[in-house]
Structures are given as C-alpha cells and as structure tokens.
C-alpha cells in the first residue's frame, strides 16, 4: 500500500508521505507448497527491515487486513484486483496507473451510482452489490455477452453515494465488488461518525499487533499516531457539487424486493432469485473478503436446529479475529454440527488455485467471482449473500421468494441487532495487550 501526500492530479494534500508495504504472510495461501513455507520465513524480515508490515500465516485475507490500516482520504495502490479501499481511493492496477495520471494530469472518468430509498425486508447489502449491474443492464449500459460487450464501468472510477451510515465493513462489500465491474478505482461516500468508529477500532488492533511482536512496530505506531490525529480533528473530502460524470445510475432500494444473484458463470450475469428458484445446489461456500463476521452469525442462525444440510458446506472467515470471536460465541459449534468443512482464515475456494469443489457441480458462493473453472472443473457457480447461501445449504436448491422470506422472518429478523455486530476492538476490555509477547 502506497500512501502519498498529495493527489497526483490536483496536488491537494491528502496525508503525510508514508510507505507501508504489507506482504500476504501466508494468509491467502492456506495450502502452502515447500517454496511458500520458505517465503513465509524469509520475506517478512525483508519487509520489516524496510519499514513494512508483514502478516503471519493464518492471519487471513490481505484485503480485509489492509482496510484496517487505512487513513481517510488517502490514495492507494495494490497488486491485486481486490485492493478496493472502503476509505479513500485505491487503484488496484498498481502504482503504474497513478504514475501515469501524475505524468499526464488525466484520470479516468467517473460513473456515479446514487442509492435512494430504504433497504427492503429480506434484501441484503450483497443484493445491492448485484443491483448495480442489474440496473445498468436495464439501462442498456452493460451487457453480459462477451461479443461486442458494453460495460459503462470498465476503466472508470465508480463513485457511490446515498448510504452514508453504512459501517465501513459493509462499505467494503460495495467497493470490493467494483473489481468485477472492471473499474479502475472506486470511492464510497461515508459519514464522519462511521469512519471515526472504524478508526478507533483499528487503533486498538494496530496496538495489539505491536504487543504481539508484529514488525515493523515503529511504522505501525506511526500509523496509529496519524489515525489518532485524524480522530482529534475528523474531516472527510467530498465531491464537488458541480462534478461531471460519464454516467449517473440511480438505484432505488425501494424497488428491490428480493435477492439478486450472479448466475453462472459471469459476475455480470445478474438475475432475480425468483428467476433461478429450484436450481439444484451441490456445494455452498461462505467465505472470501466479501464477508464479515455478521454474515457468519446470520448463516449459523439459519442453520441452527434446522436439520442436516443437503450440500457440502465450506466455511472460511476472512481473518483470524473473526474466527476467534465466532468460536467464542459458539457459532463454530453450529457449523460443526452440520458437518461443515471449516478452513483456515484466508481465500480458500475463492482463490481458484487452492481448495477445489468437485468437478461439474453447481455451487452457491459468497465469493467475489464465478469465472469458468475457477472453483472447480466445469463448476457452475452462483454468487450471492451468506444468508441466501445458508438457505441453499438447507434446501439443496435455490429457494422460492416465499421460502426465503419465511426463513428470514423466523431466523434472522428477530435477532438482527445481535447478529450484525461488528468487531470494535476498542470496546473489548484488555484487547490492546491481548497475546502480548513477554520481555526477555
């Protein structure tokens, strides 16, 4: 992650210059080869001696961790397509795009997605993620077919507004999925209070990393100091009132009455759940950087005391902190009772080059993309919410709208306030020193 002091286009100051490099540290490689193990041992020292921060095997997905180290209104780059910050702006193509923009003084055009209305019963944020291409298709701005494909988002920056009170963990679902829209970058407009809440939590997490002996500790504490300085005077940038966009797409949440899924095998092939009802499902994967702790609680609540699942069920939370909390709450006990295969926090099936589903099966997944043969040879993959994934696991098929809504009303809605809680580390007593290394 490269954090710079000025916007490469307008020169406006963003944050004091600082370079923070983060190596995966094995979190994205749950099935390491001998060469991987060697790298896990040697590469962290390379980074830490240069002021970087190295994660450890088992920590989880780099994207989910990287979000915890961000400052508001920073410009970042990353070598992976899902480096999509929920704070500031990121260019996952790498530093080349930012350097190119700085040299020419030109940045890609933006497409604005403006959300209006209220989230409807049974509809999740993942459905809103899929609503973006759904509405674009209705407007003739996106086509599914590869031949003569039209994609209004391709190579452009996707700006989103109208949901300022989202938690940052929720906002990442929106920004993360812009990779599947082929966007060059993304920005989501959030409120000061939700950003402040997230930063207070992250200060506690970073201090805990130092206590646990993560390196480079000095660089981590420099980032803590910058976070605390921002919290002392919170201020966020916003778009100009007269900003021009290549296209403005209005998404009316009041009109979305049921889940929306990405059908096999293209993230743009979005359909209403009712169009896919009855399709048989053989395996279900709940995991990837598109999930947060609330999704696992909700999925477990759907499965609890509901009888055996009719699929092969995979569970893989994004970080070790999620896994630890879920175990303490007894959520993993529910997954175990269903015979779920629980993976070490990381990418798992989403990566496409580690674990694999059986050949030729149909999968319902919460992961990022469903390209041909990515999860398994000949696999047909639906993408959607963790809540719908759990229902599919119970039924062995995609439910009807009535079936899904009945389960949501009974198993999720009455407990929503408890299920959709997020990891606020600053509110956990003694967390900053948890797992601290003893002085020699």
């Amino acid at each position: 992650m490269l954090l710079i002091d000025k916007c490469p286009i307008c020169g406006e100051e963003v944050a004091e210059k600082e370079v923070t490099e983060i190596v995966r540290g094995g979190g994205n490689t749950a099935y390491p080869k001998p060469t991987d193990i060697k790298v896990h041992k040697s590469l962290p020292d390379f980074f830490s001696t240069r002021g970087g921060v190295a994660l450890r095997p088992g920590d989880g997905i780099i994207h989910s961790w990287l979000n915890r180290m961000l400052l508001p209104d920073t410009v970042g780059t990353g070598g992976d397509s899902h480096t999509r910050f929920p704070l500031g702006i990121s260019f996952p193509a790498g530093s080349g795009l930012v350097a190119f923009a700085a040299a020419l003084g030109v940045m890609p055009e933006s497409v604005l997605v403006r959300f209006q209305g209220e989230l409807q019963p049974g509809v999740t944020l993942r459905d809103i993620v899929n609503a973006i291409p759904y509405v674009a298709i209705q407007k003739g701005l996106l086509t599914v077919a590869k031949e003569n494909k039209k994609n209004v988002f391709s190579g452009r920056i996707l700006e989103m507004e109208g949901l300022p009170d989202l938690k940052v963990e929720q906002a990442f679902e929106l920004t993360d999925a812009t990779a599947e829209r082929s966007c060059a970058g993304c920005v989501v407009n959030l409120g000061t209070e939700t950003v402040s809440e997230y930063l207070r939590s992250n200060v506690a997490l970073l201090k805990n990393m130092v206590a646990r002996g993560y390196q480079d500790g000095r660089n981590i504490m420099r980032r803590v100091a910058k976070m605390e300085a921002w919290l002392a005077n919170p201020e966020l940038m916003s778009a100009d009132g007269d900003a021009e966009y290549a296209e403005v797409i209005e998404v009316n949440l009041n009109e979305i009455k049921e889940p929306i899924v990405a059908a096999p095998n293209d993230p743009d092939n979005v359909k209403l759940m009712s169009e896919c009802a009855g399709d048989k499902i053989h395996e279900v994967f709940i995991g990837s950087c598109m999930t947060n702790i609330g999704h696992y609680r909700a999925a477990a609540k759907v499965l609890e005391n509901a009888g055996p699942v009719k699929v092969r069920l995979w569970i893989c939370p994004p970080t070790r902190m999620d896994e630890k909390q879920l175990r303490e709450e007894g959520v993993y006990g529910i997954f175990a009772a269903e015979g779920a295969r629980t993976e070490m926090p990381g990418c798992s099936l989403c990566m496409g080059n580690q674990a694999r589903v059986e050949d030729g099966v149909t999968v319902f997944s919460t992961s990022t993309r469903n390209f041909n043969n990515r999860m398994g040879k000949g696999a047909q993959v639906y993408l959607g919410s963790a809540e719908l994934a759990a229902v599919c696991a119970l039924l062995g098929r995609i439910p009807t709208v009535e079936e899904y809504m009945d389960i949501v009303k009974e198993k999720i809605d009455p407990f929503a306030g408890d299920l959709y809680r997020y990891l606020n580390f600053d509110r956990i007593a003694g967390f900053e020193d948890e797992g601290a290394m003893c002085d020699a």
Side-chain angles (χ1 to χ4, degrees), residues 80 108 176 197 202 253 309 315 317 386 438:
D80 186 281
D176 199 21
E197 177 184 337
N202 295 344
L253 303 181
V309 297
I315 300 292
C438 297

Side-chain angles (χ1 to χ4, degrees), residues 293-294 296-298 300 304 321-334 418-423 428:
I293 194 168
Y296 296 88
R297 294 195 191 102
E304 188 176 26
M321 297 86 72
D322 296 298
E323 181 192 46
K324 178 177 181 293
Q325 184 65 29
L326 292 169
R327 288 188 182 278
E328 290 177 355
E329 294 178 10
V331 173
Y332 262 60
I334 297 172
D418 187 55
L419 297 176
Y420 299 109
R421 292 176 291 110
Y422 300 95
L423 286 173
I428 301 175

